[in-house]
Amino acid sequence: MKKLIQKIKKYSLFRGKKRKNPSFDLTNLLEESPIWWGQFSVTEHEPRYIKIGHTVLCIDHFNQEWRVVCQSEHGGKELHQTFSIQNQVQEIIIKPTLPDRTLTFYLDCPIYIPPNGEVTLYALSPVWIQVRMGTPDLLLAEIPTQILSDSWDGKNTLEGDLCYAGNAPLVMHFEDLPEETDKIITPVTLINQDRDTLILKEIKIPATQLSVYHDIQNLLCTELIRVAFINGITVLSIIKNTKEHQKLTLLTQARFEIKQRFKGLFKSFR
Amino acid sequence: MKMTLPTDELNKLLNSFIKYIQNLEFIPILNGLVYFLIGLMITLIARWFVGKIAERNISVHHSLLFRRITFYVGLTLSLIYPLKASGIDVTALLGAAGILTAAVAFASQTSISNFLSGVFLEAEKPFVIGDYVLVNEILGEVLSIDLLSVKIRTKDNLLVRIPNEMLLKSQFRNMTRFPIRRFDIKLRVMFNEDLERINDILMKSAALNPLCLTSPKPELSVVEFGDSALHLQFSVWGKQATFSDLQTKIQQDIQSAFSKEKIQLPVTYNAISAS
């Protein structure tokens, strides 16, 4: 971690200039804290380091220039963004959000759901970090903690939409979920109300229609998705009125609110 | 010797001119002029109106076309009606115009063919402005679809003018019509290579490259047993926006994966003997 921060430090705004605090100060670093989101004050000349899973976010500013640097512990490309902000705000807001496209999870082994059967799976989506500031919120940057592979969601190669391919395996038991602060959990309940066995090979999460919450254990999660297969039709609902949902605290609203139920996000083969 | 006109003749000329002016009917001419001005004003307003509607509902490019058509039609009507109102017989004029049109049409067959081809291309819409098309080995971005030709800008920033007739007659490819595209990589491997291993290496390279789409899945196929190597084709899909990047990066990834796995690509040797 120290090496990583030293690496980010060399990209500091103050490179080549005389710094007020020449020695490296770790007190601003939020290590081991599961809560990395919220409002933070960033003093001039004193960069703020925030650890989100395997990613370190560094924010610093000098006068009206703000810089956001993001680096993963596993290497990969660093992200540098510089902003010019006219007002004298010293506080930034860090929020988790979901990716900006549908996430498709491909199952290595298909799951067979018998008639009238039900199964709940947990999908893990990588967090996208939103850096905001000011009132009203000005979105400075949206940084993915993981670069996901592109994929195509469509009946054929002519019509469809681009989506992301989820890279974390689906989990059947809540206890098996890893405690990672840079992942958002989406519970998906699949109900087969058909007469035939349903063979599930892939699951698509409508990430743009889900909000991000945290529970009392500070795990990031979304609303429950319920999918019913009836007479060859797939009906998807986003459930918000459960007892468990009432205990959650909203962090980020969905990118797009859905007005009605929509179909077709789940693929099954018979 | 001085030359002077006789006074009598000068007076005669003046009198005939005055008589001519006196017999001239100013009112119809004035009427005609007023009708022309009104017609011109209506034409200009109609041109603006048609342009705005076309711009909103169709495209900016088509609005220019419709504006021109409206202006010329309006101008023609604005000229014909006032002439008639002035008392001039336009039937002969129209007759002459008809003969002139036939002569011009005969002489400008190519232009008319190009014009009609343009109309059919507009109706069919095989491409729009901004698409990349490949016509007769010329690849470029469509800049404009005009009455007689289509203008293309090549990747090295050259302007190419392609007559509409040629486009309608020939086969061309629209490279950017659909949001995703397949990239076929031709590979040659030694005959004794383990194809399963090659398949694993290639699939892993594609899986690690975020520009390669996970779905549709990449595919490896054996094309043929060549003279000195096995010919393979590895097909990956990518989105249009980053297709050029994909072409470079996936091949780089494959090359480095092959180096890492110590897979040697075959080299063709040609033996030339001179006797």
Side-chain angles (χ1 to χ4, degrees), chain B residues 39-65:
Chain B
L40 190 64
M41 221 158 59
I42 295 171
T43 303
L44 291 172
I45 293 168
R47 183 179 78 163
W48 174 84
F49 196 63
V50 163
K52 283 285 168 198
I53 293 176
E55 211 174 285
R56 216 175 289 157
N57 295 319
I58 310 169
S59 71
V60 173
H61 178 75
H62 287 101
S63 81
L64 283 171
L65 188 66

Side-chain angles (χ1 to χ4, degrees), chain A residues 101 106 149-152 157-158 165, chain B residues 178-179 210 212-215 239:
Chain A
R101 287 188 217 150
Y106 300 97
S149 186
D150 290 326
S151 191
W152 181 250
T157 54
L158 306 180
Chain B
F178 303 118
C212 273
L213 300 186
T214 309
S215 171
K239 54 184 188 195

Side-chain angles (χ1 to χ4, degrees), chain B residues 34-242:
Chain B
V34 168
Y35 288 142
F36 172 70
L37 288 171
I38 293 171
L40 190 64
M41 221 158 59
I42 295 171
T43 303
L44 291 172
I45 293 168
R47 183 179 78 163
W48 174 84
F49 196 63
V50 163
K52 283 285 168 198
I53 293 176
E55 211 174 285
R56 216 175 289 157
N57 295 319
I58 310 169
S59 71
V60 173
H61 178 75
H62 287 101
S63 81
L64 283 171
L65 188 66
F66 284 117
R67 275 176 192 232
R68 272 188 217 155
I69 292 172
T70 311
F71 179 72
Y72 288 123
V73 167
L75 189 68
T76 310
L77 291 171
S78 303
L79 282 169
I80 292 173
Y81 186 72
L83 284 173
K84 204 174 169 183
S86 310
I88 297 170
D89 184 12
V90 293
T91 321
L93 203 68
L94 288 173
I99 296 166
L100 189 69
T101 305
V104 167
F106 187 73
S108 57
Q109 281 176 61
T110 312
S111 299
I112 291 170
S113 172
N114 278 324
F115 175 76
L116 290 172
S117 302
V119 171
F120 291 134
L121 281 173
E122 281 294 327
E124 203 184 319
K125 281 197 183 332
F127 53 79
V128 295
I129 290 171
D131 279 348
Y132 267 86
V133 294
L134 180 67
V135 185
N136 293 345
E137 293 174 5
I138 300 170
L139 174 69
E141 182 195 353
V142 176
L143 289 180
S144 64
I145 306 166
D146 296 326
L147 285 173
L148 302 177
S149 63
V150 166
K151 312 285 189 305
I152 285 175
R153 182 177 68 97
T154 58
K155 286 205 168 186
D156 49 353
N157 218 28
L158 299 176
L159 179 72
V160 179
R161 181 188 173 275
I162 302 174
N164 289 337
E165 190 190 359
M166 188 175 152
L167 273 170
L168 200 71
K169 277 185 194 172
S170 62
Q171 192 192 67
F172 63 85
R173 292 191 216 177
N174 186 340
M175 315 296 266
T176 52
R177 181 56 166 259
F178 303 118
I180 61 172
R181 208 171 130 193
R182 196 177 82 176
F183 176 45
D184 295 328
I185 304 163
K186 305 261 188 289
L187 294 163
R188 287 162 63 241
V189 296
M190 307 276 220
F191 284 115
N192 58 357
E193 278 295 347
D194 180 1
L195 284 181
E196 291 273 349
R197 189 169 155 241
I198 300 278
N199 184 58
D200 288 341
I201 294 165
L202 291 170
M203 291 301 170
K204 198 176 171 186
S205 302
L208 291 172
N209 189 321
L211 298 175
C212 273
L213 300 186
T214 309
S215 171
K217 287 184 184 173
E219 275 177 7
L220 177 68
S221 50
V222 179
V223 177
E224 63 171 357
F225 285 84
D227 292 335
S228 49
L230 199 58
H231 293 225
L232 307 176
Q233 179 173 289
F234 184 52
S235 304
V236 296
W237 288 82
K239 54 184 188 195
Q240 257 329 323
T242 52

